């Protein structure tokens, strides 16, 4: 157990955390980055990234995160692969405690803990992660042009994903566990009017199959009833659209959040309701959830932190 004083503590990694580290380092703030239990964030589970500017040939997710990490270290960011387990924002310096009971007393804190996609809990989801299973149609839909895909979910997000994929894929199955869509009327209308979207109501996914990637899904319809039937659909991509949950549990009661737990920044800045605490990336973004937008807010958070420290 130890206690150390820091000017800037960045909690979380990924595009937001590492970019904040790059900018804070270049401002001679000597930031300390706690990577958390998933160093590099969600992109370390992604294979090819083709929509991040500067990579015309694309890049593997883990490789890009390794490069961002290296860039942050090059300018002086100190990175530790541990988890912050508790925070006290009631007074400055802020008291943050890690999993080994080490205490960091920070003049400013940048929260970049990200968000995690919700999954069905099937073993096959992990087996085929990056090989047909995805939680982001905008990120990975490009790889399924003229192919068959499935989207799981019945809300606005699922309908948006299905519509986006319908513009790329040959056929889109929308797997809905209830007998109705929860999406808004306008979204339902668009989905129903899109010829290459087929809605599978009262359906649940039992599993996925394929040799070197997803080749199909096993579906059960009307599960637990006398009308239950099991069938397969041929798909190349399986997209989860049942929501995300922000990784913000340890900040509850101290930082303003919405009903789902996303941190509410004081736009247009990245300031939170606690002076000296800033939020960047997916933990404060329920809408876009893209690597490039997360990196942008990481930059802004570092600049906001720099100005705060100069004023105080």
């Amino acid at each position: 157990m130890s206690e150390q004083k820091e000017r800037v503590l960045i909690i979380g990694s990924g595009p937001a955390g590492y970019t904040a580290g790059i900018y804070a380092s270049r401002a001679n703030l000597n930031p300390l980055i706690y990577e958390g239990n998933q160093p590099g964030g969600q992109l370390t589970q992604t294979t090819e990234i083709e929509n991040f500017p500067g990579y015309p040939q694309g890049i593997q997710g883990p490789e890009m995160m390794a490069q961002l990490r290296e860039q942050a270290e090059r300018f002086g960011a100190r990175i530790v692969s541990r988890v912050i387990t508790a925070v006290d924002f009631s007074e400055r310096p802020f008291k943050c405690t890690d999993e080994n009971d080490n205490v960091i007393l920070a003049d400013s804190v940048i929260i970049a803990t990200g968000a995690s996609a919700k999954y069905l809990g099937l073993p096959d989801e992990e087996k085929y992660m990056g090989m047909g299973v995805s939680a982001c149609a905008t990120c990975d839909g490009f790889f399924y042009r003229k192919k068959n895909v499935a989207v799981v979910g019945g809300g606005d997000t699922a309908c948006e994903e299905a519509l986006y994929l319908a513009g790329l894929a040959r056929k889109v199955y929308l797997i809905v566990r209830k007998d109705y869509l929860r999406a808004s009327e306008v979204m339902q209308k668009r989905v129903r009017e899109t010829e290459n979207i087929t809605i599978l109501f009262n359906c649940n996914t039992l599993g996925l199959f394929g040799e070197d990637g997803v080749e199909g899904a096993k579906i059960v319809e009307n599960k637990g009833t006398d009308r239950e039937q099991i069938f397969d659909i041929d798909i190349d991509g399986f997209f989860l659209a049942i929501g995300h949950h922000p990784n913000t549990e340890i900040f509850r009661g101290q930082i303003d959040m919405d009903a789902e737990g996303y941190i509410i920044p004081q736009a247009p800045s990245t300031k939170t309701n606690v002076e000296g605490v800033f939020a960047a990336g997916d933990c404060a973004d329920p809408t876009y959830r893209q690597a490039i937008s997360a990196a942008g807010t990481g930059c802004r958070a570092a600049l906001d932190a720099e100005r705060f420290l100069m004023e105080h």
Side-chain angles (χ1 to χ4, degrees):
M1 178 178 175
S2 66
E3 184 174 290
Q4 64 192 84
K5 185 76 163 55
E6 299 291 341
R7 298 189 72 192
V8 180
L9 171 65
I10 300 170
I11 304 176
S13 48
Y18 289 147
T19 302
I22 291 168
Y23 274 78
S25 297
R26 287 172 57 84
N28 293 320
L29 296 178
N30 195 27
L32 176 65
I33 300 176
Y34 263 73
E35 288 186 304
N37 54 19
Q38 189 179 15
Q42 294 182 81
L43 287 188
T44 57
Q45 296 182 319
T46 302
T47 51
E48 193 80 9
I49 298 172
E50 291 191 333
N51 57 359
F52 199 98
Y55 296 97
Q57 304 305 317
I59 186 171
Q60 297 290 304
E63 183 183 359
M64 189 173 87
M65 288 301 96
Q67 290 182 5
L68 281 177
R69 189 184 197 276
E70 181 182 347
Q71 189 173 0
E73 287 185 306
R74 174 193 165 199
F75 292 114
R78 292 159 298 135
I79 303 174
V80 293
S81 298
R82 293 197 296 271
V83 178
I84 295 293
T85 55
V87 298
D88 181 357
F89 292 156
S90 61
E91 61 180 357
R92 292 182 55 230
F94 305 117
K95 182 180 179 181
C96 304
T97 307
D98 73 13
E99 59 192 302
N100 295 336
D101 291 328
N102 299 309
V103 174
I104 297 93
L105 300 175
D107 290 328
S108 64
V109 173
I110 295 174
I111 301 171
T113 47
S116 301
K118 295 178 182 177
Y119 290 88
L120 298 175
L122 302 173
D124 291 336
E125 289 173 317
E126 186 172 344
K127 176 181 178 182
Y128 293 108
M129 185 61 64
M131 300 168 60
V133 172
S134 171
C136 180
T138 308
C139 309
D140 301 325
F142 184 78
F143 302 111
Y144 299 94
R145 289 173 299 172
K146 307 302 179 184
K147 296 183 178 181
N148 296 341
V149 299
V151 176
V152 180
D156 277 332
T157 299
C159 288
E160 288 173 6
E161 301 265 277
L163 288 165
Y164 175 80
L165 290 166
L168 298 168
R170 180 190 306 115
K171 185 175 185 61
V172 179
Y173 294 98
L174 185 58
I175 303 172
V176 185
R177 63 187 178 91
K178 298 183 180 294
D179 60 357
Y180 61 89
L181 292 172
R182 293 181 292 103
S184 60
E185 288 296 329
V186 64
M187 292 302 297
Q188 292 189 43
K189 185 173 185 293
R190 289 173 184 168
V191 166
R192 295 179 192 278
E193 292 178 350
T194 302
E195 291 185 0
N196 61 336
I197 296 179
T198 297
I199 306 174
L200 302 177
F201 287 114
N202 295 311
C203 286
N204 291 279
T205 307
L206 294 176
L208 305 170
F209 56 86
E211 290 297 321
D212 299 317
V214 172
E215 295 176 5
K218 189 168 292 294
I219 307 296
V220 57
E221 183 180 12
N222 299 314
K223 183 178 180 180
T225 72
D226 56 4
R227 294 180 293 120
E228 179 178 312
Q229 62 173 327
I230 296 174
F231 59 93
D232 294 342
I233 56 174
D234 295 327
I235 56 172
D236 302 287
F238 185 76
F239 290 84
L240 283 303
I242 53 177
H244 285 71
H245 58 86
N247 304 319
T248 57
E249 290 82 3
I250 66 170
F251 310 112
R252 285 191 180 277
Q254 302 190 63
I255 298 293
D256 285 347
M257 304 177 185
D258 67 12
E260 296 181 19
Y262 286 95
I263 296 171
I264 303 173
Q266 298 178 359
S269 76
T270 62
K271 298 175 183 177
T272 68
N273 59 299
V274 177
E275 191 177 33
V277 178
F278 308 89
D282 286 9
C283 66
D285 177 14
T287 304
Y288 300 104
R289 294 194 298 266
Q290 298 298 303
I292 186 63
S293 56
T297 56
C299 159
R300 290 164 53 204
L303 295 175
D304 287 340
E306 179 187 10
R307 290 173 186 141
F308 170 80
L309 293 172
M310 288 177 63
E311 293 170 0
H312 295 76

